[in-house]
Amino acid sequence: WHFEPDSSVRCKGHTRCGVELISPILRGISGLLQVYQSFKFLNNIKDIDVDKSCGLHVHHGVDPKTYNCKELQKLVHIVHCYEEDFYLLIPGDRQNAETCRPMEIDVEAFLNVCEASHDSDECRIKQLWYSPENQYNEESAKNPRYDRTRYHGLNLHSYWYRSTIEFRYHSAILENIDEAMQWIIFTQF
């Protein structure tokens, strides 16, 4: 576990930017227990604060050899059906936050372009994800970590960048640990 500066997180007057807490790759019940313990730890730090510039981003590791084009389509289909409900369940105004926008891809095209035999790196899904419609910008893509397509509630950029599926929908939670844990478990669907 470590803290990392994050310029998108607002700070209190004594620092230039806020920080985010980064976990190592976690698995199973022991991973969930570590997350729970980290929330307890954070709650014991005096003057720690979260505001609407903070989010709870959950990454799930995937193996691109087995989690391929068809699996991405299934995920997008499920998320697309329930995305509006996600925003209704989550506190705050996350839908209008610049860092977790609703999907802007052509979902119909996304669901109809792939054959099961295609490698996800060569599939047209990747071309649709990295399209101007989905906020792709060649200038911002020069630093792949900060590609603008990642700023959606469902971030598939992380699939090609670090082999994870990222859910950015949820607002930051500090004191309601049960809600955070439930969200993490929910995103494992």
Side-chain angles (χ1 to χ4, degrees):
W1 293 80
H2 67 279
F3 288 99
E4 195 171 287
D6 185 337
S7 62
S8 70
V9 175
R10 282 195 219 76
C11 59
K12 298 203 175 201
H14 60 281
T15 58
R16 287 191 359 211
C17 68
V19 296
E20 62 181 343
L21 178 61
I22 311 283
S23 78
I25 296 172
L26 304 172
R27 289 181 174 77
I29 298 298
S30 63
L32 288 171
L33 182 58
Q34 282 188 52
V35 171
Y36 184 83
Q37 291 168 336
S38 72
F39 275 107
K40 289 290 214 184
F41 170 77
L42 291 172
N43 275 295
N44 288 323
I45 299 174
K46 187 180 182 208
D47 293 332
I48 194 168
D49 190 27
V50 297
D51 65 19
K52 67 180 185 177
S53 72
C54 304
L56 173 61
H57 301 178
V58 179
H59 287 261
H60 294 288
V62 293
D63 179 356
K65 292 178 185 136
T66 56
Y67 200 94
N68 60 25
C69 193
K70 281 294 184 193
E71 281 70 32
L72 290 175
Q73 282 182 309
K74 290 175 190 174
L75 176 65
V76 166
H77 178 72
I78 291 167
V79 170
H80 177 66
C81 290
Y82 297 103
E83 189 172 53
E84 287 181 21
D85 298 320
F86 293 169
Y87 288 113
L88 292 174
L89 291 171
I90 294 166
D93 191 20
R94 296 289 288 169
Q95 185 169 0
N96 294 318
E98 194 58 30
T99 56
C100 62
R101 296 184 309 271
M103 288 190 281
E104 297 171 292
I105 57 171
D106 180 345
V107 173
E108 287 294 318
F110 202 88
L111 296 176
N112 293 313
V113 296
C114 199
E115 297 297 324
S117 61
H118 280 94
D119 175 18
S120 60
D121 218 33
E122 298 171 6
C123 184
R124 235 180 76 63
I125 279 182
K126 186 175 182 181
Q127 295 169 1
L128 287 170
W129 184 261
Y130 293 106
S131 66
E133 176 185 53
N134 201 38
Q135 305 300 315
Y136 178 75
N137 172 312
E138 282 189 40
E139 190 62 32
S140 71
K142 289 180 181 176
N143 182 345
R145 179 178 179 195
Y146 297 109
D147 185 281
R148 289 193 43 78
T149 64
R150 76 186 191 125
Y151 296 117
H152 291 88
L154 174 64
N155 172 15
L156 295 186
H157 170 67
S158 67
Y159 173 82
W160 289 286
Y161 180 68
R162 61 170 54 108
S163 297
T164 68
I165 302 295
E166 181 185 21
F167 293 87
R168 302 173 63 96
Y169 292 100
H170 213 292
S171 53
I173 297 175
L174 189 57
E175 292 156 0
N176 193 344
I177 299 172
D178 288 344
E179 182 179 337
M181 299 303 293
Q182 290 168 9
W183 176 250
I184 293 166
I185 293 167
F186 175 76
T187 62
Q188 295 177 17
F189 65 86

